[in-house]
Amino acid sequence: MIIYVVFAVAALVTMWRIVAGPSILDRAVASDVLLTEVMCVLGAEMAINQHTRTLPVLLIIAAVGVFGSISIARFVARRDAPSA
């Protein structure tokens, strides 16, 4: 139960950073942190209940996080590139 409370507080702080983040990069990092927190909660739940049923969900969340980070990095790189 303590694990869930700690992750809930961390998720609230992360959601605040997503909403109030001054830049898109701050929001992107916060969304990655939120996805990581969700993955940790699912992993803790699997360890506590001794099952692996949610492992495909973990893999999908990891893939979405990686592809989202790459997309945002490419968008910011194009936007910041000097025009010729």
Side-chain angles (χ1 to χ4, degrees), residues 4-17 30 33-34 37:
Y4 296 128
V5 171
V6 170
F7 279 121
V9 170
L12 288 174
V13 172
T14 305
M15 289 298 293
W16 176 77
R17 178 51 59 190
V33 169
L34 187 62
E37 290 172 359

Side-chain angles (χ1 to χ4, degrees), residues 18-36:
I18 290 173
V19 171
S23 71
I24 188 139
L25 292 178
D26 290 330
R27 290 183 172 101
V29 169
S31 67
D32 285 342
V33 169
L34 187 62
L35 283 176
T36 304

Side-chain angles (χ1 to χ4, degrees), residues 4-82:
Y4 296 128
V5 171
V6 170
F7 279 121
V9 170
L12 288 174
V13 172
T14 305
M15 289 298 293
W16 176 77
R17 178 51 59 190
I18 290 173
V19 171
S23 71
I24 188 139
L25 292 178
D26 290 330
R27 290 183 172 101
V29 169
S31 67
D32 285 342
V33 169
L34 187 62
L35 283 176
T36 304
E37 290 172 359
V38 169
M39 290 174 58
C40 288
V41 167
L42 288 173
E45 190 271 330
M46 284 189 334
I48 290 168
N49 294 325
Q50 299 178 352
H51 68 83
T52 58
R53 290 187 300 268
T54 54
L55 191 60
V57 176
L58 281 172
L59 294 173
I60 291 170
I61 291 173
V64 167
V66 168
F67 294 138
S69 296
I70 291 170
S71 299
I72 290 172
R74 292 189 74 172
F75 170 75
V76 170
R78 274 195 204 138
R79 190 181 68 182
D80 292 342

